[in-house]
Amino acid sequence: MKVVITGANSAVGQAIFRCARKGGLPADTFVAAVRSSRAEQQFRSQIGDVGGVVRISYDDPATLDAAFRDANSVVQLAGILIEQRHSTYEDANVTSTRSIVEGAKRNNVKKLILVSAIGADENSRNRYYDTKAQAEALVRESGLCYTILRVPILLGPATAGAAALRRQLSTGRCRLIDGGLHRQQPLHVDDLARAVIVVATQFSGAQNVTLELVGPCSLSERELIERAAHWSGRPIRIRSIPKRLISAALAIRECFAGRGFSRDVLDVVTAETHVDPQPARRELGIDLTGIDQMIQDSLPKE
């Protein structure tokens, strides 16, 4: 069994290798595919010895062929929420997935797994959601056996959600967009990792489906911050900042800076999420981590 993980240096990639090790899977089952020596060093420093690490370029089919040769499954984690100067949604979310699909087809990979986002929609005016949906379409139309996992904000070790939570608690006071009343449904990164391991190693399960994999609890961002403050033993003062003011400021900024935190990102981080977690949980046969454990795993260890 050989499973290639693209974007393996991400929080999700690290969690997959961590959970595979805990689950007793052979060390050479998973191969980490990264794009640079820096990413490789970061990955090895976090995970330690693994079955293999390979360097790939989405612009170089030969590197993908070398990585995918004899692979049973390929897991596509690569993608971005915040555009950077040299990385757009189209490049990171769509072009990379197109290259992965073509490489998987050339090498007769049995199954392709894509980690996408709750809210992905090709008819959306939001470019993040639109490009995520375009990536999904490439996978569905590939002719390969596939599983698409749509996920919300992730909490747990090394996640951006955990970093944001720690920042908000760091000074004892924080400002939340519209008071943080939008409802979220965070998922523990290890639950996503276990789901990926299941669908990547068990070909008979979750074939040619799109699953919305969310955490068991829907709560407002304000409630999340207040729970985290309780668990950390730190008092927190929350103030509200109107979303319309942030949106107006970002509209002006985008005229000059172009990339970075944008109105598209603003809409994503304030989106309402309320999804029944049971269909995906039953299909995948995994248990979901409770919100309090997610929070504890996202905060610094005392």
Side-chain angles (χ1 to χ4, degrees):
M1 172 71 68
K2 177 183 175 181
V3 179
V4 180
I5 312 292
T6 68
N9 57 309
S10 64
V12 179
Q14 293 175 31
I16 291 170
F17 282 82
R18 187 172 61 246
C19 291
R21 183 175 295 167
K22 288 180 181 178
L25 290 173
D28 60 353
T29 300
F30 293 91
V31 175
V34 297
R35 298 175 62 190
S36 67
S37 58
R38 179 180 178 183
E40 180 177 349
Q41 291 171 2
Q42 176 190 0
F43 179 80
R44 290 188 184 278
S45 69
Q46 295 290 334
I47 301 301
D49 293 332
V50 295
V53 180
V54 295
R55 297 268 296 277
I56 62 170
S57 169
Y58 300 117
D59 298 325
D60 186 351
T63 64
L64 296 175
D65 290 343
F68 294 173
R69 190 168 297 118
D70 300 322
N72 302 95
S73 300
V74 171
V75 180
Q76 164 68 328
L77 301 179
I80 59 170
L81 171 59
I82 299 178
E83 292 183 298
Q84 304 299 327
R85 183 177 179 183
H86 299 296
S87 185
T88 67
Y89 288 141
E90 288 74 19
D91 290 336
N93 296 343
V94 183
T95 303
S96 67
T97 301
R98 181 179 292 109
S99 296
I100 293 299
V101 166
E102 292 172 352
K105 291 169 68 174
R106 285 194 305 272
N107 289 276
N108 298 312
V109 171
K110 293 180 181 177
K111 195 171 189 181
L112 184 58
I113 297 93
L114 174 68
V115 175
S116 185
I118 296 290
D121 180 0
E122 281 194 89
N123 295 316
S124 175
R125 296 173 62 182
N126 183 296
R127 289 178 51 244
Y128 174 76
Y129 289 139
D130 174 40
T131 53
K132 281 295 187 180
Q134 289 181 49
E136 290 184 3
L138 289 170
V139 171
R140 291 192 193 96
E141 296 164 6
S142 67
L144 298 169
C145 179
Y146 70 85
T147 304
I148 296 171
L149 299 174
R150 290 181 175 174
V151 300
I153 180 177
L154 299 175
L155 292 178
T159 61
L165 200 58
R166 292 194 296 270
R167 284 196 304 271
Q168 289 162 329
L169 296 177
S170 62
T171 63
R173 53 179 71 180
C174 68
R175 290 188 174 187
L176 300 182
I177 301 167
D178 285 346
L181 298 181
H182 52 278
R183 300 189 71 80
Q184 303 177 336
Q185 204 160 351
L187 177 71
H188 198 299
V189 67
D190 286 0
D191 292 348
L192 174 55
R194 285 189 284 269
V196 168
I197 291 170
V198 167
V199 297
T201 59
Q202 300 177 17
F203 301 125
S204 60
Q207 289 191 21
N208 303 329
V209 294
T210 299
L211 300 174
E212 295 190 320
L213 179 60
V214 297
C217 178
S218 177
L219 75 172
S220 70
E221 184 185 21
R222 187 184 189 97
E223 291 176 281
L224 179 65
I225 299 297
E226 290 173 340
R227 284 197 187 207
H230 169 76
W231 280 107
S232 67
R234 300 175 182 177
I236 188 76
R237 179 179 296 178
I238 298 174
R239 300 180 64 182
S240 178
I241 181 169
K243 180 178 176 179
R244 66 179 184 277
L245 293 183
I246 300 176
S247 183
L250 289 173
I252 296 171
R253 178 186 175 278
E254 288 167 19
C255 293
F256 300 96
R259 307 295 182 202
F261 196 95
S262 65
R263 285 173 292 173
D264 285 331
V265 179
L266 178 65
D267 287 341
V268 171
V269 300
T270 57
E272 291 276 339
T273 305
H274 190 70
V275 175
D276 183 357
Q278 295 308 318
R281 186 198 66 77
R282 286 193 295 265
E283 179 76 26
L284 298 165
I286 63 172
D287 294 324
L288 296 173
T289 304
I291 187 63
D292 289 332
Q293 188 62 55
M294 284 189 233
I295 290 171
Q296 292 179 63
D297 290 346
S298 299
L299 299 177
K301 304 298 181 183
E302 299 294 338

